[in-house]
Amino acid sequence: MIDPITAEIVVHAISAIPNLIDKNITKTAFSPLVSEYKDYAVGIVDADGKLITQCKGGIPIFVANALSAAVRDGLEIYGKSGLQTGDIVITNHAGTMGQHLNNVVMYTPIRRSEGDDGLFGFMAIVMHWVDVGGIVVGSCLSNETTDVFQEGIQFHTVKLHSRGEPVEEMYRMITANTRFPHMVLGDLEAQIAGCLHGCTLVDELLDRYGADQVQGAVERYWDQSEAAVKRAIADIPNGTYEASSFLDNDGVHEDETVEVNVAVHVTNEGITVDLSGIGPEGSGPMNAGYEGGAVAASRIACKYFFSPDDPANDGAFRPIKVHCPPGRFLSAGPTAPLSGSGNMLPTVVDTILKALGAAVPEKVPAGHHGTYCLHVITGQLADDGGWFQHMESTIGGWGAWSDHDGVGPFRSIVHGDTMEVPVELQEANHPYRVDWVRLRADSGGAGKHRGGLGIEKCYTMLGPADVTAIIERTKCPPWGLDGGREGETGRIEIHRAGADCSEVLIKGSASLAEGDRALLFSGGGGGHGNPVERLTDSVAEDVRKGYVSRRAALKDYDWTELK
């Protein structure tokens, strides 16, 4: 039996390890998507695949269960005894992970001895590889794929290293299936180094305190987290809370919206997120598997609502059950197209929170911009013919609360702490110029408390390139609450050099020539409360700072001082 003080020391020590590896990855990875944007997560899971701890900077979509799902599949395939010291396993299997194939989980065993009983757990890292083949540059950016086999290569729980020795055939396979072998292999080495270094640090902790003491501290930690979530759930009256929204389309049938009907059942024992009312598996790539879709969205929403400040771990998720029958767009089959797997989740999470807001209104804001607003600029360099790619999700406005304005611009609710790639780095590596990045006036929904603002960003092409966009929530704008207005939606405008008119891009691609411009407009958050109740001084300050135009102040806020 471990004493409480030692248990706290052990838990803080083991929780610090993924954060240290997180920092190392930003210094050693090759691609800006990993080193700058931070599209990865680091964690430790136990011998049964249960999450012990995860880095603070991990993307929520990964925090939910990506590492555990990968490790559980490895245990089923190899068994505990089949995973030995020095083994490094990778997987991006659609039927396991339920996310686009770029998200590759790597893990290595943490062992004290041979045999099942000698396995303590696994050091695991999930990382977005910049390209894994498929019909488009970047793999996860097509709006038109109709099965997963068009989207890239799958590694279904295979060993990259075996007992410390690299499996050369795997390296040849990876190199032959990416358009960016230098960046992918560089990121892969950072991923390997992180797994091995983390394994060593956990070993040192086990040497210091003993495996039984560490395991006891972890189980106590899980129990504390479970109890804290149950206390938060107990503050909500038992009952069923429902909310609805919808997605623009599945990527193929452009005129057919996709229903997002959720029900949250609250009892004394816990909470069940019921997603049986969502739309069916789509023909296009706006799908996700059960683990990467239904479970991830539900856990992210509940984490925000019940334990936003506590580290993610298995105990915090125990009181949360998820119901989503097979064949829905968040429980798609293993061959369904899912290159757009994350694009639907912000709206689903927003809708689950909206349902919970019916029970506790003061804890839930209005709708946020609710989309990755993903866009990619690709092409071939004139000097050597090599490929280039700039992929970015966009920051936008978050919804207003009952007592204060919406915040932002931030990324979507499922992105967490992903960062901006510096403009200087973008311009140095790609044939375009960024003319401006600025707040988008009037994009936040009007209200007693105003929604957060989106942005405007202008790319001017210095050479030929293609731009592809996947933007959601254009037909279901970020909703206001209690009389607040909707936030603006996002789009990309293509302005041809020498032409007077523009083209609007939502989901699709366009070829650009030198001198053409791509103008990105991201969405804002919904407002809260009747706009005419907003303080006159607050409206005046918004106008002074350029957040709200004079026209909108007169129209939306009845700003009589200007009339």
Side-chain angles (χ1 to χ4, degrees), residues 8 16 63 101 183 187 280 285 376 403 425 437 439 490 555 560:
E8 287 296 311
V63 169
L101 302 182
M183 281 197 289
D187 286 350
V376 61
D403 59 354
L425 189 60
V437 180
L439 293 173
K555 175 178 176 291
T560 55

Side-chain angles (χ1 to χ4, degrees), residues 107-128:
Y107 54 92
T108 190
I110 303 166
R111 280 198 162 275
R112 307 303 289 165
S113 62
E114 299 283 331
D116 288 4
D117 293 340
L119 179 65
F120 173 79
F122 299 87
M123 193 72 204
I125 299 172
V126 55
M127 186 178 288
H128 182 115

Side-chain angles (χ1 to χ4, degrees), residues 139-158:
S139 309
C140 67
L141 303 160
S142 172
N143 292 293
E144 301 171 353
T145 53
T146 55
D147 66 49
V148 74
F149 306 107
Q150 300 169 342
E151 298 176 348
I153 187 170
Q154 293 191 63
F155 305 104
H156 186 185
T157 306
V158 291

Side-chain angles (χ1 to χ4, degrees), residues 512-526:
L512 305 177
E514 183 177 354
D516 291 349
R517 282 181 164 182
L519 272 66
L520 169 72
F521 298 85
S522 72

Side-chain angles (χ1 to χ4, degrees), residues 39-62:
D39 199 343
Y40 64 90
V42 184
I44 304 169
V45 300
D46 82 343
D48 296 314
K50 293 180 289 188
L51 182 64
I52 294 175
T53 186
Q54 200 152 340
C55 65
K56 293 181 179 178
I59 298 178
I61 192 173
F62 295 152

Side-chain angles (χ1 to χ4, degrees), residues 446-492:
K448 180 179 180 181
H449 301 289
R450 174 184 46 76
L453 299 182
I455 64 162
E456 300 176 12
K457 184 175 184 179
C458 178
Y459 299 92
T460 295
M461 297 300 119
L462 305 180
D466 295 322
V467 59
T468 298
I470 304 176
I471 301 176
E472 260 298 337
R473 292 287 279 278
T474 65
K475 299 176 183 177
C476 179
W479 49 80
L481 292 177
D482 196 25
R485 307 277 177 81
E486 296 174 340
E488 290 294 320
T489 61
R491 69 185 186 278
I492 290 178

